[in-house]
Amino acid sequence: MLSTKKLFLLDADVIIDFAKYGVLDSILRRTKCITGEIVAEDEVKYYLTAEGAKSIDLSEYIDNKILTIEAADFSDLQKLEELLPQDMADIIDEGEKELLAIMTRRNDLTLISCDHGPIRCIPFIDRYYRVMSLEIMLKSIGIKAYWLEEKHTEKYMKGNLDIGRTKFIQSS
Amino acid sequence: MAGEKNLGMRLMKARKRAHFTKKAAAEMMEFQHYQTISDIENGNRNVKARELTKFSKLYLCSMDMLMGKIDIEVELQLLWRKYPADENDAHRIKLLAQEHCENYFLLEKILGMEHNNWFIPNIDKRNLLSNRAIDALADEIARTLCLGSRPAKCLENILENKLGIKILYAEFNEGGSAVSTIHQKYGPVIIINKDEAPWRRNYDLAHEFFHILTWDYFDMQSMESEIFRRDVEKKANRFASSLLLPHADLIEELEKIVVNRVVEIADIIDIAREFDVSTPALIFRLFNLRIIKDFDHASELANDREIKRMDKKVRSGDNSDPIPNKYYKLAVKCYRKKMISRGKLAKFIGKNRAEIDQFLDKWGVYEENVEHKKIVFT
């Protein structure tokens, strides 16, 4: 039987915030999550608290296949760059580009991001309905979060998605 | 496969530009065998996105260069104050400088500020003929730029914001203290060794500013002559010293401490701190002004171990890492206007993503409701 569970593609800040607010373990165990190789290997290292930096160790989740790592290659990046105008490509970093390149290759992933950059790029890769705010993601799996910041809200995500859509319409 | 072949050629170009052998590159990339580099460069092996970012860091070459959007060949012609003993060091600094400039330029481009964003005051070549003329030039420049009585305290800010000179910091290892250039695309650029003490950095900045001011008079080719170069360097030192230690203000400070034409060396160190220059720089300035009459005496004082030790001791709390102020402000402005993502901001400022909130608290990103308030001018 096919699973109907959503496949979430996690951005670096989302993983860092989950770890910071102590929900990373329960989220990874309750959902099917994927992230990019650059995010996992180079970007998610630690989060800061008043007591200092606390490291985030994803290796156990990766080794136990609780978190899947996916890599994009040069041809995926090329396809993404064909879709993104230069001014949009300039706003995001390599980890975010890899996530969007993976999304361009696959159409079964839902991006979870709290960064305006990748969210605004989504309409350019024709995945308008494949992005979700942290707020809605947590609700969908029954986790109550009292710590949500503005960037985690549905309003923030929709606002930036709409800006991306307007830019896309203007550029096409 | 044509795409991979072209990528392979660009990677080979970038590797050679960075002076890496295939074997050394393979080791740094943690490949088992250098044949992997050959396979990649011949277009016979797929390159993952993460590998590309690693190549980009290793070869000090932007991703846009590797993706074929920018020509890999563009190189900076740098004017060296002291050419590094190790050629590889010189080359590394050159590539690092270019990478910094490219990032700076990209931020300006995103903000639509990349064109004609700089201005260098015209100077008369006659102002360079004698020491007295150079002192007069320094006075005139200080007046024009409103540097005030303690020029070192605002020089960096004025050069960056008023003249549009890009000021960056990099690790030089044994590669001297500073370099400068005027580049067709990037404009005037000064790169300072970040490991220098703050008061040394001020002097370096003023010294390199002289080179920028006189760029058209002392071209790179003529600077290849050692005798000519040494003469220009002396002029640059004279200018830096006059600019940072204005005659009238220095005399005013000295008058406060002179008793029977004698001053205590500790007071001299205090004045050097007050003007944000090194004690030897102040001592040579006093010689230039003929307040210390004998060069050998000035030289002896400037090199006195005890004075150096005292100077170092009283300034031990003054050591702070340099901050590329304008560059940071441009990056923050791009982020605040939502023209770059958080991840891109982290990349531009060289910090981990987890540190971005702290950085933004310090550098001023406002709450949404403040950000959207506007003033309408009549």
Side-chain angles (χ1 to χ4, degrees):
Chain A
M1 201 175 86
L2 283 173
S3 166
T4 53
K5 260 189 169 179
K6 268 195 162 73
L7 267 174
F8 294 121
L9 183 65
L10 306 182
D11 193 359
D13 288 321
V14 169
I15 299 177
I16 292 170
D17 286 352
F18 283 160
K20 185 163 88 179
Y21 294 111
V23 293
L24 181 64
D25 188 73
S26 76
I27 285 171
L28 292 183
R29 288 177 196 282
R30 281 188 208 192
T31 57
K32 281 187 176 177
C33 289
I34 293 178
T35 194
E37 191 180 28
I38 296 173
V39 167
E41 300 287 343
D42 303 327
E43 296 184 347
V44 174
K45 303 259 184 208
Y46 55 88
Y47 60 92
L48 294 182
T49 68
E51 291 86 44
K54 305 260 184 209
S55 79
I56 303 171
D57 185 9
L58 296 177
S59 59
E60 195 195 317
Y61 300 115
I62 296 166
D63 293 346
N64 294 319
K65 298 189 171 36
I66 292 168
L67 174 67
T68 308
I69 304 300
E70 184 139 345
D73 63 19
F74 171 65
S75 59
D76 296 322
L77 290 179
Q78 266 193 319
K79 277 174 204 147
L80 175 71
E81 303 248 316
E82 280 166 21
L83 297 171
L84 284 183
Q86 186 60 41
D87 61 336
M88 294 306 288
D90 280 344
I91 73 171
I92 52 175
D93 76 339
E94 277 68 44
E96 292 158 344
K97 274 185 190 157
E98 182 175 48
L99 295 181
L100 293 177
I102 295 166
M103 283 191 82
T104 309
R105 191 178 62 204
R106 297 176 57 163
N107 59 10
D108 58 340
L109 302 172
T110 300
L111 177 70
I112 311 294
S113 176
C114 53
D115 192 324
H116 58 267
I119 297 172
R120 287 181 184 188
C121 289
I122 285 288
F124 290 86
I125 62 167
D126 196 21
R127 296 286 184 270
Y128 192 78
Y129 297 103
R130 288 280 173 192
V131 58
M132 191 184 270
S133 66
L134 216 118
E135 182 183 14
I136 297 296
M137 183 211 186
L138 293 175
K139 261 188 198 160
S140 75
I141 55 173
I143 290 182
K144 281 185 182 165
Y146 302 101
W147 42 264
L148 288 184
E149 298 170 32
E150 194 216 342
K151 64 179 181 178
H152 300 139
T153 63
E154 182 68 3
K155 188 181 158 209
Y156 180 85
M157 198 277 292
K158 283 269 180 224
N160 281 299
L161 195 57
D162 285 345
I163 291 169
R165 185 159 64 172
T166 307
K167 280 178 183 276
F168 173 64
I169 292 165
Q170 283 167 350
S171 72
S172 52
Chain B
M1 223 48 200
E4 272 78 5
K5 184 102 186 156
N6 289 338
L7 171 68
M9 281 163 67
R10 285 193 297 274
L11 281 167
M12 181 168 65
K13 215 172 186 178
R15 175 176 59 78
K16 288 184 173 170
R17 174 180 172 267
H19 294 182
F20 272 100
T21 61
K22 284 182 187 172
K23 193 167 176 277
E27 272 173 27
M28 298 299 284
M29 289 293 292
E30 294 173 25
F31 292 145
Q32 298 275 321
H33 201 273
Y34 72 88
Q35 184 61 42
T36 311
I37 297 282
S38 296
D39 288 344
I40 287 172
E41 291 181 359
N42 291 326
N44 295 330
R45 181 190 176 280
N46 225 345
V47 182
K48 293 204 285 183
R50 181 163 181 254
E51 287 171 340
L52 262 185
T53 63
K54 282 176 83 174
F55 274 125
S56 155
K57 282 177 195 156
L58 180 64
Y59 296 159
L60 294 171
C61 179
S62 73
M63 281 292 278
D64 279 351
M65 282 182 179
L66 295 183
M67 294 298 288
K69 292 183 190 171
I70 302 175
D71 194 354
I72 292 179
E73 311 252 16
V74 183
E75 282 211 346
L76 284 178
Q77 290 273 338
L78 296 177
L79 184 62
W80 298 85
R81 189 158 165 200
K82 183 183 132 212
Y83 199 79
D86 184 347
E87 181 65 38
N88 285 334
D89 234 4
H91 194 68
R92 183 188 60 82
I93 294 167
K94 205 170 176 181
L95 296 185
L96 209 57
Q98 177 154 356
E99 196 191 27
H100 279 325
C101 289
E102 196 55 51
N103 283 341
Y104 206 127
F105 180 78
L106 183 56
L107 287 172
E108 287 182 330
K109 195 179 117 195
I110 291 170
L111 290 165
M113 301 164 42
E114 75 271 35
H115 299 297
N116 301 321
N117 201 17
W118 55 277
F119 153 78
I120 299 299
N122 277 327
I123 58 162
D124 190 328
K125 202 172 180 178
R126 281 171 301 186
N127 283 337
L128 307 172
L129 294 178
S130 67
N131 283 337
R132 197 170 284 186
I134 289 172
D135 288 346
L137 172 69
D139 280 352
E140 189 193 325
I141 292 288
R143 261 197 316 278
T144 311
L145 299 180
C146 304
L147 296 180
S149 62
R150 302 292 183 270
K153 296 197 190 296
C154 63
L155 184 64
E156 183 181 348
N157 188 350
I158 298 281
L159 296 189
E160 283 196 304
N161 293 304
K162 209 162 174 171
L163 303 186
I165 297 175
K166 292 180 171 63
I167 299 172
L168 295 159
Y169 297 93
E171 271 173 37
F172 276 41
N173 295 340
E174 298 301 313
S177 52
V179 289
S180 54
T181 190
I182 296 187
H183 189 266
Q184 204 178 2
K185 180 177 169 188
Y186 309 127
V189 182
I190 294 175
I191 302 172
I192 308 272
N193 185 353
K194 67 185 279 207
D195 295 328
E196 290 274 66
W199 47 96
R200 289 284 317 163
R201 294 198 298 257
N202 291 332
Y203 194 83
D204 292 338
L205 193 57
H207 177 105
E208 296 304 321
F209 179 39
F210 176 83
H211 288 310
I212 297 281
L213 281 171
T214 57
W215 195 257
D216 292 338
Y217 296 135
F218 307 125
D219 61 277
M220 301 286 250
Q221 214 174 358
S222 42
M223 289 293 274
E224 280 171 16
S225 148
E226 187 55 27
I227 298 168
F228 184 80
R229 201 185 69 85
R230 228 181 272 170
D231 183 50
V232 176
E233 288 298 290
K234 267 188 194 166
K235 289 182 195 304
N237 283 339
R238 179 85 190 200
F239 174 84
S241 167
S242 299
L243 189 76
L244 297 178
L245 294 158
H247 188 179
D249 300 295
L250 184 56
I251 297 294
E252 194 182 308
E253 284 305 308
L254 283 172
E255 279 171 354
K256 292 178 193 167
I257 57 166
V258 176
V259 180
N260 296 330
R261 299 180 67 188
V262 174
V263 289
E264 286 177 20
I265 203 71
D267 290 331
I268 290 290
I269 295 174
D270 282 346
I271 293 184
R273 284 183 81 190
E274 171 65 27
F275 283 86
D276 262 337
V277 297
S278 68
T279 302
L282 173 59
I283 290 169
F284 283 120
R285 175 67 170 146
L286 296 178
F287 167 73
N288 289 342
L289 292 170
R290 295 290 177 263
I291 293 168
I292 297 176
K293 294 257 175 346
D294 180 26
F295 178 77
D296 288 341
H297 182 45
S299 194
E300 195 183 304
L301 284 172
N303 292 309
D304 186 294
R305 277 190 185 180
E306 193 55 27
I307 295 174
K308 278 186 177 169
R309 192 190 59 77
M310 248 170 87
D311 192 22
K312 208 172 171 183
K313 195 177 163 195
V314 292
R315 294 184 200 244
S316 58
D318 299 351
N319 264 315
S320 55
D321 277 344
I323 292 167
N325 273 296
K326 183 148 183 221
Y327 176 75
Y328 273 14
K329 280 180 190 163
L330 287 175
V332 169
K333 194 169 190 173
C334 280
Y335 178 74
R336 200 171 66 213
K337 289 179 179 290
K338 298 205 165 44
M339 288 165 151
I340 56 172
S341 70
R342 251 173 104 80
K344 192 83 177 186
L345 173 68
K347 196 187 164 204
F348 273 127
I349 61 169
K351 292 201 183 293
N352 184 279
R353 292 171 81 118
E355 296 168 39
I356 293 300
D357 284 337
Q358 265 188 355
F359 176 83
L360 291 173
D361 281 346
K362 193 173 169 192
W363 284 82
V365 166
Y366 314 107
E367 301 292 330
E368 288 271 309
N369 53 353
V370 176
E371 234 178 83
H372 294 142
K373 284 194 192 301
K374 291 185 170 79
I375 298 174
V376 180
F377 287 144
T378 51

